[in-house]
């Protein structure tokens, strides 16, 4: 290619990559598959490598990080980076509103902008002529550190502004944070590789930004959400804070989708409550809500006190981390015999609930934390994750602390515990001799995605096992109303219902049956692949490890678990008893039969009227489709029921085929999945 056409190609690639990166990271709606993005990116790198003088600061190639610095230089903030005053109760929030109103005197109506208070690191970004030229930390508010190389690696930060109307010089403020999933992922990796485990996503974000080597930052899953524009002297560009944020969105920045403008403090209280309710379901940590007087003219009138504005307030949520006493450590035995240390804590209110147990993972984790019984520890509870001990408060350690000793025998059945080479997990060798493993196996068997025995909850299973009524899952099918009607929490009617539910569960599908056996590493997806591949149970039970490895997504480890499971006489007996006692899967649901939807990815959303989403999912899978949880460029079809929301919107934005419930029923009827 001639230099001229290479140069044109380079410019085109940059434009395309800016656009796709914005669609992926800011809008969360990718328009091309990841491999295609990678191809374009590599093409850009190749051209820039051949023409180093063509490289520019705003090229997407800058996202990969640059050579390490020896230190960060200092940056003076022309407009100081302020902090916020906090309130912790509704009464204090109402006081804030009264203060604002009394200062404004005239009694005129005004609005508040409501935003989540993200728990990360405050950062300032400077754009000159639309190009990112500097990123800086807050520091003490007046002088921070220059982290330009690091912020450039964050994909949701535009290297170049989009759209029009931006001032020659624009300073944007916001929070850099690490979403929880990314935080869990990098910590998981650090645990496996003896790397640095971070206490919480905020520390992980801070640690990742403080790297002199920006190539490390580039590997960390960071995002930035923008919440303001440093006010410059001169003509105002907009009348309100929310209008400014809207413009930031147009220029390519990520602004919280939760931003709302409300007209009264009562609405602020409602906003606080509704986000508090949804806090656990958000993808990132927030530690409260920020309310800001929306009008910039009123903000100017209210001004500042010392280091915080009078026009804004942070209403904090209950803490997600607290200190409490570790009273004891108990050992719990799971379905596969894994013995997990569980911390018994002095009850403490954290993340909105009272916590008295926390996970300690395994003995490697206990060693890493250096935790002892009697220590004060930091407990973190965020999202739907089980509370974790993340740190020991060594300052508060007293003389009486005791070491946590690994048990040698199973706390339930006294069988010896084993630790496979290279594994951190201790495991009970008792198998189904162990009462704990039996109970867990039966709970799993009865669960919704397995045999779906309605009404057979964890407590009842424990009661049945403790009363000696059942020892294995097959014994469930021998239970009678008379045997259970007199037990605690039972009665004639509920006993009859339960026996009917057990009876009903006898008719199932092969994938469900395989999943319900609780074979190690065999989840729903693997069970489905196994059923499709072998078509029938006897073939699967007699398969060699080599034959098992041929199944999609089955590797040597899963194959060895499967083989060991079916090689065990006890397990073969239980399977035989289950079948003898009536468990079956009608041939009508022919696994391994015609799969007209093979190779397609479907997404179900909204409420269906003629069936549950779970039933629709099973039918689609039986026809060979993959059913995914979210819409992406790879989705072939979205079946949308009533009140479908963001997934439907995304499918429409991406131009993906959408059908309604009638359409779905027609697919089932046409391709033979309907009964
Ligand atoms: S506004 C003058 N908005 O909270 C107002 N801050 O406690 C300056 N923060 O340093 C900040 N989310 O790091 C604002 N939506 C939000 C925020 C937010 C998080 C952080 C920010 C600031 C700290 C103040």
């Amino acid at each position: 290619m001639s230099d001229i056409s290479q140069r044109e190609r380079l410019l085109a690639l940059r434009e395309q990559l800016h656009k796709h990166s914005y669609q992926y990271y800011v809008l969360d709606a990718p328009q091309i598959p990841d491999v295609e993005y990678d191809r374009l990116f590599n093409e850009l790198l190749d051209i820039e490598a051949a023409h180093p003088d063509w490289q520019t600061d705003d090229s997407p190639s800058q996202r990969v990080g640059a050579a390490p610095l020896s230190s960060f230089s200092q940056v003076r903030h022309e407009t100081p980076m302020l902090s916020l005053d906090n309130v912790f109760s509704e009464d204090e929030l109402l006081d804030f509103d009264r203060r604002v109103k009394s200062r404004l005197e005239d009694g005129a109506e005004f609005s508040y902008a409501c935003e989540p208070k993200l728990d990360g690191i405050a950062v300032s970004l400077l754009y000159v002529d639309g190009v990112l030229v500097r990123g800086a930390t807050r520091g003490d508010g007046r002088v921070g550190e220059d982290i330009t190389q690091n912020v450039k690696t964050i994909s949701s930060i535009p290297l170049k502004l989009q759209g029009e109307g931006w001032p020659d010089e624009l300073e944007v403020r916001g929070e850099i944070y690490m979403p929880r999933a990314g935080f869990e992922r990098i910590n998981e990796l650090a645990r496996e590789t003896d790397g640095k485990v971070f206490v919480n996503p905020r520390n992980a974000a801070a640690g990742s930004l403080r790297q002199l080597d920006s190539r490390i930052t580039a590997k960390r899953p960071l995002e930035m959400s923008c919440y303001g524009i440093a006010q410059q002297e001169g003509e105002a560009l907009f009348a309100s804070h929310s209008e400014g944020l809207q413009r930031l969105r147009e220029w390519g920045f990520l602004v919280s989708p939760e931003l709302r403008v409300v007209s009264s403090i009562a609405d602020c209280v409602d906003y606080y409550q509704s986000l508090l309710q949804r806090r656990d379901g958000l993808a990132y940590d927030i530690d409260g809500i920020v309310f800001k007087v929306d009008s910039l003219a009123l903000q100017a009138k209210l001004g500042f006190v010392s280091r915080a504005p009078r026009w804004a307030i942070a209403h904090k949520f209950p803490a997600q981390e607290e200190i409490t006493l570790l009273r004891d450590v108990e050992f719990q035995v799971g379905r596969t015999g894994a013995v997990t240390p569980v911390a018994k804590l002095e009850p403490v209110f954290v993340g909105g609930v009272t916590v008295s147990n926390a996970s300690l993972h395994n003995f490697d984790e206990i060693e890493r934390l250096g935790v002892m019984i009697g220590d004060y520890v930091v407990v973190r509870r965020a999202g739907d994750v089980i509370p974790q001990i993340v740190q020991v408060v060594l300052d508060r350690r007293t003389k009486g602390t005791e070491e946590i000793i690994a048990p040698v025998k199973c706390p339930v059945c006294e069988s010896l515990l084993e630790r496979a080479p290279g594994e951190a997990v201790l495991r009970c060798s008792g198998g189904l001799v162990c009462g704990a493993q039996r109970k867990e196996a039966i709970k799993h068997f009865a669960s919704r995605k397995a045999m779906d025995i309605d009404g057979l909850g964890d407590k009842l299973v424990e009661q049945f096992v403790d009363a000696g009524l059942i020892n294995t899952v097959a014994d469930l099918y021998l239970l009678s109303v008379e045997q259970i009607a007199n037990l605690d929490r039972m009665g004639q009617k509920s006993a009859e219902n339960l026996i009917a539910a057990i009876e009903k569960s006898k008719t199932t599908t092969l994938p469900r049956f395989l999943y319900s056996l609780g074979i190690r590493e065999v989840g729903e997806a693997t069970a489905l692949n196994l059923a499709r591949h072998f078509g029938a149970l006897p073939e699967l039970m007699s398969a060699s490890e080599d034959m098992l490895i041929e199944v999609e997504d089955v590797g040597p480890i899963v194959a060895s678990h499967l083989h060991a499971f079916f090689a065990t006489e006890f397990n073969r007996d239980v399977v035989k008893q289950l079948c003898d006692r009536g468990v079956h899967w009608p041939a009508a649901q022919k696994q391994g039969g015609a799969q007209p939807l093979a190779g397609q990815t479907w997404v179900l959303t909204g409420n269906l009227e003629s069936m549950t989403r779970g039933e629709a999912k099973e039918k689609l899978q039986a026809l060979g489709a993959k059913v995914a949880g979210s819409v992406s460029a790879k989705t072939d079809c979205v079946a949308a029921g009533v009140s479908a929301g963001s997934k439907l919107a995304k499918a429409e934005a991406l131009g993906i085929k959408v059908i309604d419930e009638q359409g779905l029923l027609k697919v089932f009827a046409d391709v033979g999945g309907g009964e």
Side-chain angles (χ1 to χ4, degrees):
M1 233 195 277
S2 74
D3 264 11
I4 296 179
S5 52
Q6 280 233 349
R7 174 113 193 122
E8 275 171 3
R9 179 69 187 146
L10 174 86
L11 297 179
L13 280 168
R14 280 187 191 155
E15 279 313 307
Q16 271 178 297
L17 286 161
H18 278 309
K19 185 184 104 196
H20 289 304
S21 152
Y22 171 73
Q23 263 148 353
Y24 187 97
Y25 292 101
V26 179
L27 300 185
D28 196 17
Q31 305 234 305
I32 53 170
D34 296 0
V35 284
E36 176 63 8
Y37 184 88
D38 293 344
R39 269 195 288 272
L40 297 173
F41 195 80
N42 286 327
E43 195 185 337
L44 172 78
L45 293 183
D46 286 346
I47 302 181
E48 287 188 357
H51 300 273
D53 51 319
W54 288 357
Q55 250 188 35
T56 54
D57 277 354
D58 62 352
S59 167
S61 62
Q62 301 295 304
R63 302 259 191 231
V64 294
L69 304 171
S70 52
S71 65
F72 293 117
S73 43
Q74 293 199 327
V75 169
R76 173 161 289 279
H77 300 297
E78 296 300 330
T79 316
M81 291 183 76
L82 302 171
S83 62
L84 291 168
D85 281 337
N86 294 322
V87 295
F88 296 88
S89 68
E90 194 177 316
D91 282 350
E92 287 176 286
L93 181 67
L94 299 179
D95 286 345
F96 161 77
D97 180 57
R98 275 190 282 273
R99 280 199 303 278
V100 168
K101 287 188 174 138
S102 75
R103 282 212 163 248
L104 294 177
E105 279 167 1
D106 55 8
E109 298 282 308
F110 64 90
S111 335
Y112 284 113
C114 316
E115 304 161 15
K117 184 169 191 300
L118 286 150
D119 203 6
I121 311 298
V123 165
S124 136
L125 303 175
L126 182 63
Y127 290 79
V128 175
D129 295 330
V131 175
L132 173 64
V133 294
R134 195 194 71 193
T137 60
R138 174 169 181 268
D140 63 5
R142 300 208 158 263
V143 177
E145 282 178 327
D146 186 326
I147 52 162
T148 310
Q149 296 302 348
N150 303 30
V151 299
K152 280 187 174 176
T153 68
I154 300 174
S155 305
S156 50
I157 296 179
L159 297 175
K160 217 179 124 192
L161 300 181
Q162 300 184 6
E164 51 203 29
W166 26 265
D168 299 344
E169 201 167 288
L170 173 73
E171 189 185 340
V172 178
R173 305 265 168 96
E175 200 83 350
I176 291 184
Y177 59 95
M178 189 179 284
R180 278 184 209 136
F183 163 72
E184 302 292 343
R185 192 172 71 237
I186 64 162
N187 263 1
E188 198 61 41
L189 190 72
R191 283 199 184 94
E192 281 166 17
T193 54
D194 281 337
K196 170 148 180 58
V197 176
F198 292 103
V199 168
N200 54 38
R202 199 193 113 82
N203 286 21
S208 303
L209 274 187
R210 217 178 290 121
Q211 296 289 336
L212 289 167
D213 186 346
S214 54
R215 290 167 301 190
I216 300 179
T217 315
K219 296 202 180 89
R220 301 282 170 81
L222 297 172
E223 287 181 4
M224 177 158 173
S225 175
C226 299
Y227 51 63
I229 297 172
Q231 274 147 41
Q232 305 292 339
E233 296 295 314
E235 207 184 324
L237 282 169
F238 5 79
S240 69
H241 169 73
S242 55
E243 196 187 324
L245 295 187
Q246 184 48 38
R247 300 306 294 278
L248 287 185
R249 274 195 187 128
E250 291 161 16
W251 296 335
F253 294 92
L254 178 68
V255 171
S256 174
E258 308 294 344
L259 169 72
R260 299 284 181 278
V261 179
V262 303
S263 54
S264 72
I265 198 72
D267 292 341
C268 291
V269 172
D270 287 348
Y271 179 93
Y272 174 91
Q273 287 302 342
S274 94
L275 220 58
L276 180 58
Q277 294 285 319
R278 288 173 39 223
R279 182 191 199 183
D280 283 353
L282 297 177
Y284 40 80
D285 276 6
I286 63 175
D287 58 354
I289 304 294
V290 186
F291 299 111
K292 299 172 183 170
V293 171
D294 198 29
S295 148
L296 295 186
L298 295 185
Q299 285 190 4
K301 207 164 165 187
L302 288 159
F304 304 87
V305 245
S306 65
R307 300 182 44 180
R310 285 205 190 88
W311 41 264
I313 198 82
H315 189 181
K316 299 293 281 278
F317 282 157
Q320 284 180 326
E321 280 174 22
E322 273 298 349
I323 294 181
T324 191
L325 177 68
L326 175 62
R327 290 168 164 213
D328 198 4
V329 173
E330 284 180 1
F331 296 91
Q332 258 174 22
V333 187
R335 174 163 60 85
T336 61
V339 176
T340 324
V342 179
K344 298 282 150 180
L345 304 167
E346 182 71 34
V348 63
F349 189 73
V350 57
V353 296
T354 302
V355 166
S356 43
N357 295 319
S359 167
L360 273 166
H361 297 273
N362 53 47
F363 265 84
D364 282 1
E365 180 76 352
I366 291 178
E367 219 166 89
R368 185 184 71 75
L369 290 165
V371 61
M372 297 172 87
I373 295 169
D375 267 337
Y376 281 89
V377 292
V378 178
V379 181
R380 171 177 154 86
R381 183 195 173 272
D384 304 327
V385 189
I386 337 173
Q388 316 271 318
I389 291 187
V390 293
Q391 218 171 19
V392 178
V393 189
L394 282 177
D395 286 358
R396 290 180 66 176
R397 182 171 274 178
T398 53
K399 283 214 186 75
T401 53
E402 286 169 43
E403 201 183 324
I404 302 166
I405 316 251
V408 182
K409 288 182 177 170
C410 172
V412 176
C413 73
E414 304 211 325
S415 300
L416 281 180
L417 297 184
E418 294 167 342
R419 190 166 170 166
E423 259 199 42
V425 181
L426 277 174
R427 230 175 259 283
C428 164
S429 61
L432 291 177
V433 170
C434 175
Q437 290 183 60
R438 276 203 317 262
K439 282 179 186 168
E440 295 309 313
I442 299 170
K443 288 176 195 171
H444 172 76
F445 182 84
S447 64
R448 204 170 47 79
K449 290 178 178 170
M451 299 298 276
D452 194 17
I453 306 182
D454 205 19
L456 185 54
D458 291 0
K459 288 272 174 313
L460 271 181
V461 170
E462 288 180 16
Q463 215 179 340
F464 290 173
V465 174
D466 290 339
L469 289 174
I470 52 175
N471 276 313
T472 71
V473 293
D475 295 345
L476 283 170
Y477 295 98
L478 296 177
L479 285 174
S480 65
V481 174
E482 297 71 49
Q483 272 180 306
I484 60 173
N486 293 327
L487 293 175
D488 275 1
R489 282 189 290 267
M490 268 289 164
Q492 185 66 23
K493 191 71 202 137
S494 41
E496 282 170 11
N497 288 345
L498 181 60
I499 296 298
I502 293 176
E503 188 60 31
K504 183 165 167 242
S505 76
K506 284 181 180 173
T507 308
T508 184
T509 65
L510 181 56
R512 270 182 184 270
F513 180 76
L514 291 175
Y515 171 68
S516 73
L517 294 176
I519 304 165
R520 268 177 75 186
E521 310 277 343
V522 177
E524 274 179 291
T526 310
L528 188 65
N529 290 339
L530 288 165
R532 278 188 190 158
H533 186 94
F534 289 101
L537 186 58
E539 280 78 352
L540 166 61
M541 286 178 71
S542 57
S544 66
E545 286 186 46
D546 283 347
M547 289 157 80
L548 288 162
I549 290 175
E550 282 173 21
V551 179
E552 197 186 332
D553 290 337
V554 172
I557 296 180
V558 181
S560 86
H561 290 322
L562 276 160
H563 192 258
F565 184 90
F566 289 118
T568 308
E569 200 180 330
F570 178 88
N571 294 333
R572 298 179 74 91
D573 285 348
V574 170
V575 169
K576 182 166 184 308
Q577 285 164 1
L578 284 168
C579 297
D580 289 349
R581 291 171 192 172
V583 175
H584 66 291
W585 35 97
Q589 307 181 2
K590 46 180 188 297
Q591 279 83 22
Q595 302 211 314
L597 304 184
Q600 297 192 10
T601 301
W602 283 57
V603 172
L604 290 162
T605 181
N607 298 319
L608 300 174
E609 276 158 11
S610 60
M611 66 190 108
T612 65
R613 276 222 295 273
E615 285 162 356
K617 179 176 172 185
E618 272 185 11
K619 286 191 180 180
L620 286 169
Q621 287 175 331
L623 295 171
K626 259 196 184 163
V627 181
S630 60
V631 175
S632 74
K634 296 189 190 112
T635 311
D636 292 289
C637 185
V638 173
V642 183
S643 6
S646 63
K647 289 183 194 172
L648 175 58
K650 194 163 167 186
E652 282 166 353
L654 295 178
I656 285 165
K657 180 174 164 195
V658 176
I659 57 173
D660 61 8
E661 181 161 0
Q662 288 310 315
L664 182 65
L665 291 173
K666 190 162 177 319
V667 169
F668 291 152
D670 289 350
V671 296
E675 267 125 312

